Amino acid sequence: DAGITQSPRYKITETGRQVTLMCHQTWSHSYMFWYRQDLGHGLRLIYYSAAADITDKGEVPDGYVVSRSKTENFPLTLESATRSQTSVYFCASSATGELFFGEGSRLTVL
Amino acid sequence: DQQVKQNSPSLSVQEGRISILNCDYTNSMFDYFLWYKKYPAEGPTFLISISSIKDKNEDGRFTVFLNKSAKHLSLHIVPSQPGDSAVYFCAARGTSGTYKYIFGTGTRLKVLA
């Protein structure tokens, strides 16, 4: 099906482990984004990408790494997970107007 | 520093009445504003948007108003329905080179039957 999909939907990991959240879109949108949602903070932008091989920091990039070797994929990696990175992560894509969001990945870091 | 602010964490409205959700922003370079609705365990879904060259945009029961001088936008829902109960986020798009969308903290709307 066309759209934007995230995997895994749920993940439990331990402090210090590396975790990668995947995001795939089928619209060939240029822009892709990663947000995290936390109570009291709303949706905060982690990283975004304007095209393949072009990425930039958002509001809360520390502790995260992204790559975009293909237009359709935008993985988010936590190189050494911390408890403060427990959150719900949303990927989104856009041409130049509205964002289309995935269903989210709930990550728990123990 | 929060560039997009939603100062009301929650709002309760009777069914059939008007719901007004507010949003303030600090960056005068924002050129496009959006409202999203979010149900639990789902991704946010787009509701309505407005360009900075306009001051009003309507889509059915939803109207967004933009006051650039006050750096304020609002979402009006008329009439409110129980299915509108959700968290609403406003967002603003910056134009410094590439498009960057900043979201507010959200307002939880409860429409009472």
Side-chain angles (χ1 to χ4, degrees), chain A residues 7 28 33 36 49 51 61-62 64 67 72 74 85-86 92 95 98:
Chain A
S7 62
S28 299
F33 306 81
R36 58 179 289 175
S49 169
D62 293 344
Y64 302 96
S67 62
E72 61 266 30
F74 191 40
Q85 293 177 310
T86 291
E98 73 229 48

Side-chain angles (χ1 to χ4, degrees), chain A residues 1-45:
Chain A
D1 287 341
I4 183 164
T5 53
Q6 295 183 230
S7 62
R9 294 291 313 280
Y10 302 91
K11 176 76 176 178
I12 299 174
T13 191
E14 294 178 338
T15 302
R17 298 229 181 208
Q18 182 178 84
V19 176
T20 295
L21 305 180
M22 305 299 293
C23 181
H24 176 80
Q25 53 106 355
T26 60
W27 293 301
S28 299
H29 285 163
S30 296
Y31 283 85
M32 294 189 76
F33 306 81
W34 275 106
Y35 290 88
R36 58 179 289 175
Q37 184 190 9
D38 304 288
L39 195 63
H41 293 281
L43 290 162
R44 291 183 292 177
L45 180 62

Side-chain angles (χ1 to χ4, degrees), chain B residues 76-89:
Chain B
H76 292 207
I77 306 173
V78 184
S80 300
Q81 299 173 353
D84 295 329
S85 297
V87 177
Y88 289 77
F89 292 99

